[in-house]
């Protein structure tokens, strides 16, 4: 061997010996997800309903897994954050009575309307309260829209339309066209009615702009609904919230002497002002209230150089517990996809961050309670954050992880909201994959999972769903898989893990993607921002610029 070659070889060996090899990025396997998915969705966990033995089993399991992985407690020296709640059963008594000029009509509960209350008094009585039509019930300064302008609704019943004025216009500059804004979400309408001092609020149901049939609303009739326990910090609550069918609303408008088609058309135009209907409403609700405490489970990997800056991964651990049996007699609502899969992914990500090199920023793993009951676990965290919102860089939420095999795409829920989707797209492009807007933007899914509560306090939040562009069989096949899930498994006892039906190869790809996005952000100085036009930009700007 020539001396020059020998010398070069020796130098190369010396350099190699002096340089520590780079630690490879964690590579996820099906085994990282499957075992925990099977466990969490098993009958032993009793459907993971808050306030049940199933909750105790679930939260104890999550704590033990975080400990076994070597993660630190996320709430001081505890892995738990108590979430005080109240379960309220609202039982309307008799019909809802409408009167005008000595005449009257009656609406029948469940069939014509569904109402409930957040009040815990044993009886809520509404007697001859004035009814007012308030358009879409929206106050949106950034759109120059105020349905309550010049309208006194204090101690009155407001009737409002579902969704927002942009729906059906095909004009993406008018609100967001067919993409529902936060102002179109039913929860917002009740909150705004309360802010205006209304005594009650009824939303006119319409299947297409609502995104679901009235049968979904009827599921709340006489059923327990969970809320946060706000004793000692009470805010004004309306006497009732609820929905009225479109035929019943037309009946109301006709009784009030209004042309319903003309009235609804006017409500869609800028400058519309609500009007009193000259009708009074009476109804009574019997109330049963029970207080209890549920738990969020939280763990962390502390950052190396910026430990006081935080990235939060979330997934909800809860489902519907034991309920009405299906035709086979199965009464356990296992919730394998929704959301044992997301919770299993949370544990897998925790393992990866603990196994790989320590991140610069602190990474939080938050398994929240009561998502199915109204996003209450994440709402409580947002109101009582363990880590300051000003120091929280972003949230990445997981609610259902791809069970259908490898997909070329992912579906961005709430496309156009924040720069988090840009970071996602960078990683997708590296893999030869792509993102697409959610296929049903009218349904407002951005406001229907736990990331929404982080968005409400200004923290940029990313949530993407399973794509439809199947690697081998294309979009129509992928779409049919999702339609089959919604029609035959969603929120039903048979929503169980079935290795014959499930293919976790795509889940592995998506969890790897979530890891890359989070890891890059945890090891950078970047603070993602909300995009212009987002409903949440002003919130973040307000406290970050102080």
């Amino acid at each position: 061997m020539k001396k020059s070659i020998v010398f070069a070889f020796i130098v190369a060996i010396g350099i190699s010996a002096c340089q520590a090899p780079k630690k490879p990025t964690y590579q996820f396997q099906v085994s990282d997800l499957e075992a925990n998915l099977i466990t969490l969705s098993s009958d032993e966990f009793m459907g993971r309903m808050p306030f049940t033995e199933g909750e105790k089993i679930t939260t104890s399991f999550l704590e033990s897994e975080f400990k076994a992985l070597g993660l630190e407690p996320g709430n001081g020296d505890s892995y738990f954050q108590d979430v005080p709640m109240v379960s309220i059963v609202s039982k309307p008594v008799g019909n809802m009575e409408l009167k005008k000029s000595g005449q009257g009509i009656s609406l029948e509960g469940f069939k014509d309307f569904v109402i409930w209350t957040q009040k815990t008094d044993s009886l809520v009585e509404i007697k001859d309260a004035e009814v007012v039509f308030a358009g879409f019930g929206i106050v949106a300064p950034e759109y120059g829209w105020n349905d309550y302008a010049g309208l006194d609704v204090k101690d009155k019943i407001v009737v409002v339309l579902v969704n927002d004025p942009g729906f059906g216009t095909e004009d993406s500059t008018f609100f967001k066209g067919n993409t529902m804004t936060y102002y179109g979400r039913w929860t917002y309408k009740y909150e705004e009615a309360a802010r205006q001092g209304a005594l009650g609020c009824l939303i006119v149901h319409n299947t297409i702009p609502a995104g679901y049939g009235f049968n979904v609303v009827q599921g709340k009739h006489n059923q327990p609904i969970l809320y946060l326990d706000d004793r000692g910090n009470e805010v004004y609550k309306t006497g009732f919230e609820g929905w009225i069918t479109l035929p019943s609303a037309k009946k109301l408008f006709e009784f009030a002497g209004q042309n319903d088609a003309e009235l609804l058309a006017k409500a869609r135009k800028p400058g519309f002002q609500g009007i009193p209907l000259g009708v009074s409403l009476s109804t009574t609700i019997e109330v049963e209230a029970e207080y209890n405490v549920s738990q969020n489970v939280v763990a962390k990997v502390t950052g190396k150089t910026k430990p006081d800056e935080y990235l939060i991964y979330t997934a909800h651990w809860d489902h519907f517990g034991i309920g009405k049996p299906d035709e086979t007699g199965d009464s356990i609502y296992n919730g394998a996809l929704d959301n044992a899969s997301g919770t299993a992914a949370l544990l897998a990500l925790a393992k990866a961050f603990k196994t790989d090199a320590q991140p610069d920023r602190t990474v939080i793993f938050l398994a929240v309670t009561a998502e199915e009951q109204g996003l209450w676990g994440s709402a409580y965290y947002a109101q009582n954050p363990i880590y300051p919102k000003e120091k929280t860089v972003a949230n990445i939420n997981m609610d259902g992880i791809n069970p259908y095999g490898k997909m070329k795409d992912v579906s961005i829920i709430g496309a156009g909201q924040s720069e988090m989707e840009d970071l996602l797209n960078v990683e997708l492009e590296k893999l030869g994959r792509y993102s697409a807007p959610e296929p049903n933007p009218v349904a407002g899914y951005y406001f229907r999972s736990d990331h929404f509560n982080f968005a409400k306090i200004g923290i940029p939040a990313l949530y993407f769903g399973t794509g439809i562009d199947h690697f081998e069989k294309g979009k129509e096949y992928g779409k049919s898989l999702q339609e089959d899930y919604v029609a035959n498994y969603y929120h039903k006892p048979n929503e169980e893990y079935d290795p014959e039906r499930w293919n976790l190869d795509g889940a592995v790809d998506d969890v790897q993607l979530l890891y890359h996005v989070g890891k890059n952000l945890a090891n950078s100085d970047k603070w993602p921002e909300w995009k212009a036009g987002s409903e949440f930009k002003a919130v973040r700007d307000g406290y970050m610029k102080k």
Side-chain angles (χ1 to χ4, degrees):
M1 185 181 291
K2 292 184 178 179
K3 288 183 181 180
S4 58
I5 296 175
V6 172
F7 179 75
F9 179 69
I10 293 172
V11 170
I13 292 176
I15 292 173
S16 176
C18 292
Q19 291 178 340
K22 275 190 174 183
K23 197 170 186 178
T25 294
Y26 191 93
Q27 296 297 313
F28 291 85
Q29 308 292 329
V30 168
S31 58
D32 288 313
L33 297 169
E34 189 172 42
N36 286 330
L37 171 55
I38 291 171
T39 298
L40 286 161
S41 62
S42 67
D43 284 356
E44 178 189 351
F45 279 60
M46 304 167 67
R48 307 187 309 278
M49 179 72 177
F51 298 169
T52 68
E53 186 65 25
E55 166 167 6
K56 296 176 184 177
I57 295 169
T58 304
T59 55
S60 295
F61 172 77
L62 293 173
E63 179 191 31
S64 66
E65 286 298 302
F66 283 137
K67 284 181 176 178
L69 291 170
L71 270 72
E72 304 165 67
N75 188 16
D77 60 359
S78 174
Y79 289 91
F80 300 111
Q81 181 187 36
D82 286 347
V83 182
M85 302 181 73
V86 59
S87 175
I88 301 176
V89 179
S90 304
K91 297 181 178 180
V93 179
N95 291 339
M96 181 179 287
E97 303 294 341
L98 303 173
K99 294 181 180 179
K100 179 185 179 184
S101 303
Q103 302 296 313
I105 57 174
S106 294
L107 301 180
E108 183 181 343
F110 186 78
K111 175 177 172 288
D112 298 322
F113 69 90
V114 174
I115 58 174
W116 57 89
T117 183
Q118 293 192 44
K119 291 182 174 291
T120 55
D121 304 335
S122 60
L123 196 68
V124 174
E125 292 185 279
I126 309 294
K127 183 68 174 176
D128 294 329
E130 184 180 347
V131 181
V132 176
F133 177 63
F136 286 89
I138 290 173
V139 178
E142 66 270 39
Y143 294 111
W145 197 279
N146 187 349
D147 284 317
Y148 288 98
L151 188 65
D152 176 19
V153 300
K154 184 173 175 56
D155 297 329
K156 299 174 184 177
I157 309 301
V158 292
V159 176
V160 300
L161 303 176
V162 70
N163 214 303
D164 61 49
F167 176 77
T169 65
E170 307 296 334
D171 180 0
S172 61
T173 65
F174 184 40
F175 282 72
K176 291 184 179 179
N178 283 335
T179 297
M180 183 188 287
T181 66
Y182 172 42
Y183 300 111
R185 184 76 173 134
W186 56 271
T187 50
Y188 164 80
K189 296 175 189 290
Y190 297 141
E191 292 166 0
E192 189 59 51
R195 282 191 287 268
Q196 298 290 333
L199 184 58
C201 180
L202 286 172
I203 300 175
V204 178
H205 182 269
N206 191 337
T207 297
I208 296 176
Y212 42 80
F214 194 68
N215 63 300
V216 174
V217 175
Q218 288 173 318
K220 289 191 172 185
H221 182 69
N222 286 356
Q223 294 300 307
I225 301 175
L226 294 181
Y227 299 98
L228 295 181
D229 177 1
D230 64 356
R231 288 176 296 179
N233 188 33
E234 292 91 346
V235 296
Y236 176 76
K237 300 180 180 71
T238 59
F240 70 81
E241 304 166 349
W243 295 78
I244 183 172
T245 65
L246 183 58
S248 297
K250 290 182 176 180
K251 188 176 180 181
L252 164 63
F253 295 140
E254 181 181 352
F255 183 61
Q258 299 287 333
N259 181 302
D260 65 276
E262 291 180 2
L263 189 62
L264 301 187
K266 289 178 182 177
R268 305 181 71 87
K269 296 179 180 178
F272 170 80
Q273 287 189 318
I275 59 170
L277 294 178
V279 173
S280 67
L281 180 151
S282 298
T283 193
T284 301
I285 304 171
E286 293 179 347
V287 179
E288 297 174 2
E290 178 185 357
Y291 290 91
N292 211 324
V293 176
S294 189
Q295 290 181 317
N296 292 332
V297 188
V298 56
K300 68 178 179 179
V301 173
T302 299
K304 178 172 56 178
T305 60
K306 294 186 280 284
D308 60 345
E309 295 180 6
Y310 309 98
L311 169 67
I312 301 180
Y313 282 96
T314 51
H316 73 89
W317 58 255
D318 66 295
H319 201 58
F320 291 107
I322 299 174
K324 182 181 178 181
D326 63 11
E327 60 276 6
T328 70
D330 187 359
S331 62
I332 299 177
Y333 289 69
N334 303 83
L337 183 62
D338 183 17
N339 187 33
S341 69
T343 308
L346 188 74
L347 292 172
L349 287 161
K351 178 182 178 182
F353 272 97
K354 187 63 179 175
T355 302
D356 268 355
Q358 183 181 6
D360 291 332
R361 287 168 162 159
T362 296
V363 183
I364 309 299
F365 303 91
L366 178 62
V368 294
T369 183
E371 188 270 356
E372 300 289 5
Q373 297 288 330
L375 318 182
W376 293 120
S378 56
Y380 185 82
Y381 180 91
Q383 294 172 20
N384 304 272
I386 299 170
Y387 305 97
K389 63 184 179 182
E390 298 85 357
K391 293 289 187 177
T392 301
V393 178
N395 165 243
I396 298 175
N397 184 52
M398 296 162 288
D399 193 352
I401 300 296
N402 178 9
Y404 307 124
K406 289 181 176 289
M407 298 286 178
K408 296 178 183 178
D409 63 332
V410 299
S411 175
I412 293 185
I413 311 299
Q417 286 283 6
S418 83
E419 292 179 345
M420 288 297 291
E421 67 189 69
D422 300 331
L423 302 181
L424 172 67
N425 284 329
V426 168
E427 296 305 315
L428 283 165
E429 188 174 351
K430 293 177 184 177
L431 301 170
R433 301 178 67 193
Y434 67 96
S435 67
E438 58 193 295
N440 186 23
V442 65
Y445 286 112
Y446 194 80
F447 317 114
R448 293 170 63 176
S449 193
D450 293 298
H451 59 283
F452 173 51
N453 283 314
F454 290 88
K456 284 176 74 174
I457 60 171
I459 297 171
L462 175 67
Y463 170 39
F464 69 75
T466 301
I468 61 170
D469 194 354
H470 194 273
F471 256 101
E472 297 175 357
K473 300 182 180 180
K475 293 181 180 179
E476 288 304 314
Y477 175 74
K479 187 178 179 182
S480 70
L481 291 173
Q482 295 196 16
E483 290 173 345
D484 176 65
Y485 169 74
V486 172
N488 298 310
Y489 299 97
Y490 178 62
H491 286 184
K492 295 181 180 180
N494 65 347
E495 210 267 86
E496 301 176 347
Y497 178 68
D498 179 358
E500 296 298 318
R501 184 168 57 86
W502 286 52
N503 180 340
L504 292 177
D505 291 341
V508 169
D509 289 348
D510 286 356
V511 174
Q512 190 79 51
L513 186 62
L514 289 163
Y515 179 58
H516 285 157
V517 174
K519 184 180 181 183
N520 290 342
L521 196 52
N523 289 310
S524 78
D525 295 321
K526 182 173 180 58
W527 286 77
E529 295 185 359
W530 293 101
K531 296 190 174 184
S534 169
E535 303 95 306
F536 313 106
K537 179 175 173 57
V539 180
R540 183 73 155 186
D541 290 349
Y543 61 74
M544 293 297 281
K545 291 179 180 179
K546 287 183 179 178

